[in-house]
Amino acid sequence: VAVADTKIAKSGADGSLIYRGYSIQDLFEKSTFEETAFLILNGRLPSRKELAVFTSRLRRRSHLPPEIYKVLRTLPRGAHPMDILRTAFSALGTIERGLSPDDRKISIIAKMPSLVINSYRVVRGKRPVEPKESLGQGANILYMLRGKAPSAFESWVMERVLILYMEHDFNASAFTVTVVASTLADVYSACTAGLAALKGPLHGGANEAAMQMLTKIGKAENAAAYVQQLLAAHEKIMGFGHRVYKTVDPRAQLTKQLLRRLVAETGKGEALYDLCEAVEKVVWELKKLPANLEFYAAPVFHILGVPQEVDTPLFACSRIVGWVAHYDEQLQDNRIYRPDAVYVGEKGLKYVPISER
Ligand code: ACO
């Protein structure tokens, strides 16, 4: 059901995806995180000067305020990183009340990598690592995670995945953000709700679930039996299927190419690549479901050394850009969302006092 007009992005059943009119393949090959973010937020590619100003604004706002660390230190050690992130992000909204609407948007996009990685680090009892203003969004994620600078190639790989994750029209989390925006709540509230929607395994949580499944299957020879068993039990195969893409998810294809390159360049994960291909082949043969972005993003993150439970928060690091664009678009021509539902319950019941029940 079409619920709105949007100029931000469009995914098509033919396996196409555009951001503001540009194909995902073009942006994946030629753009950067910051340039694609500018495009999604402003509806056009930036000039050199605009990009420099935007990038410098982001980097200057990438550090977390000390109050966030105080909140993080009160959370239980074993908490899931997505719950930690949602809590820390919501807390940020209580701290940045004085910022202008424009600075708020820059701030939340800029702070996401540090929120994701440092909230994970602190709650696991590690010291935070300050983001480096000389690094881009992708490189900073790996730098804060490892405490040392990643190679240029690894940074490039991480940035490609972030570009693919950045926006996807009216997916569940973006729609959630839009509904909250339509009540005129602030952008922190709307994106906290977006994080809550993203967490579920049918949406952003699928990358972590796909990696857990791949770990369980273990090797390519086990793929067919494992998938058959899941299908027989009517269970979902994580990282497969999509509401829009019925034959191919273009983001999964691009991430698969990336995985192949990562394996070739680093010499790590050859067996994991074979396992992914075997699962993809058998799921297509038995159920005609295509792999989605989550299925191939998970092994890329794994080879880059990202802990499985940080996979979904990393999705948020990039999708925050799309959420902010949807928040803005909703407010440009706002009317509160108030859908109808078909009532299928009982009618005309007579109230019986509790003493007589
Ligand atoms: N494993 C097994 N069966 C599936 C799967 C799957 N991953 N996906 C769909 N199906 C089945 C459905 O149960 C349904 O079967 P039926 O006709 O026998 O009842 C049939 O395929 C058609 O399903 P759709 O209508 O295409 O699925 P829907 O649009 O409702 O759901 C969704 C899409 C949620 C993504 C689903 O495919 C799914 O649960 N996938 C696994 C979770 C996942 O990978 N989510 C990530 C989505 S992409 C993203 O967030 C970036």
Side-chain angles (χ1 to χ4, degrees):
V1 177
V3 292
D5 291 344
T6 182
K7 291 182 179 171
I8 307 171
K10 181 67 191 154
S11 51
D14 57 349
S16 60
L17 174 60
I18 51 172
Y19 291 170
R20 300 283 191 184
Y22 295 91
S23 83
I24 192 65
Q25 285 81 2
D26 249 11
L27 296 167
F28 174 86
E29 278 160 28
K30 298 169 192 158
S31 194
T32 60
F33 175 90
E34 287 79 6
E35 186 184 58
T36 306
F38 185 100
L39 170 70
I40 287 175
L41 294 171
N42 298 288
R44 60 179 175 80
L45 287 169
S47 68
R48 226 179 266 216
K49 189 168 169 220
E50 285 171 326
L51 182 59
V53 171
F54 178 68
T55 303
S56 126
R57 282 184 77 196
L58 281 178
R59 294 188 185 175
R60 272 187 282 119
R61 288 213 178 264
S62 61
H63 304 272
L64 299 184
E67 294 93 324
I68 288 291
Y69 288 111
K70 279 194 202 150
V71 173
L72 289 173
R73 290 196 178 97
T74 66
L75 300 178
R77 279 273 168 110
H80 191 280
M82 205 50 196
D83 294 331
I84 301 166
L85 175 64
R86 193 195 56 237
T87 306
F89 186 88
S90 179
L92 191 64
T94 68
I95 297 162
E96 297 195 325
R97 297 186 312 276
L99 292 189
S100 71
D102 196 45
D103 282 343
R104 285 175 164 204
K105 289 175 220 157
I106 292 288
S107 176
I108 58 179
I109 294 168
K111 287 186 175 54
M112 267 316 230
S114 189
L115 268 176
V116 166
I117 304 298
N118 282 321
S119 61
Y120 169 75
R121 291 184 69 94
V122 169
V123 176
R124 292 292 184 272
K126 294 183 180 174
R127 274 191 303 129
V129 174
E130 279 299 302
K132 267 199 174 149
E133 290 187 23
S134 57
L135 296 177
Q137 207 95 334
N140 245 329
I141 289 170
L142 292 172
Y143 167 69
M144 287 185 280
L145 191 65
R146 299 172 181 175
K148 58 179 196 263
S151 71
F153 174 70
E154 288 174 314
S155 308
W156 177 84
V157 169
M158 179 56 88
E159 193 165 273
R160 298 309 96 193
V161 183
L162 296 181
I163 290 173
L164 297 175
Y165 265 134
M166 207 175 283
E167 164 54 10
H168 210 225
D169 57 79
F170 266 59
N171 58 84
S173 56
F175 182 54
T176 303
V177 168
T178 308
V179 171
V180 180
S182 83
T183 69
L184 300 183
D186 63 281
V187 71
Y188 298 91
S189 302
C191 294
T192 303
L195 284 166
L198 189 73
K199 184 190 171 190
L202 297 190
H203 189 15
N207 54 12
E208 182 187 349
M211 200 57 230
Q212 284 166 348
M213 179 185 78
L214 288 167
T215 311
K216 240 189 246 171
I217 303 175
K219 49 186 178 181
E221 298 91 280
N222 302 339
Y226 191 91
V227 170
Q228 273 162 358
Q229 198 187 314
L230 281 186
L231 290 176
H234 300 288
E235 280 183 39
K236 285 279 174 80
I237 306 151
M238 301 318 279
F240 284 86
H242 200 272
R243 177 59 60 85
V244 177
Y245 306 125
K246 294 303 175 196
T247 51
V248 62
D249 176 343
R251 307 164 304 166
Q253 277 188 325
L254 293 168
T255 323
K256 184 177 179 182
Q257 286 170 23
L258 201 60
L259 177 64
R260 199 181 302 135
R261 249 188 102 172
L262 185 61
V263 170
E265 293 264 345
T266 61
K268 291 185 207 159
E270 210 164 309
L272 180 58
Y273 181 85
D274 292 344
L275 168 60
C276 291
E277 271 212 314
V279 174
E280 187 184 11
K281 190 163 170 275
V282 70
V283 175
W284 183 255
E285 277 169 10
L286 297 179
K287 191 78 185 167
K288 293 285 174 283
L289 289 169
N292 59 47
L293 168 60
E294 309 293 14
F295 184 69
Y296 278 106
V300 169
F301 288 158
H302 178 79
I303 294 175
L304 289 174
V306 175
Q308 269 177 36
E309 68 266 37
V310 181
D311 287 358
T312 310
L314 280 194
F315 184 158
C317 256
S318 182
R319 186 57 63 85
I320 185 75
V321 177
W323 292 343
V324 168
H326 282 281
Y327 181 87
D328 273 353
E329 190 175 66
Q330 178 61 31
L331 293 192
Q332 276 162 24
D333 184 18
N334 188 49
R335 192 163 183 209
I336 193 165
Y337 272 99
R338 198 345 184 150
D340 198 4
V342 179
Y343 180 70
V344 293
E346 292 180 281
K347 286 182 183 164
L349 297 182
K350 196 171 167 330
Y351 180 81
V352 180
I354 196 158
S355 56
E356 293 170 27
R357 276 179 246 154

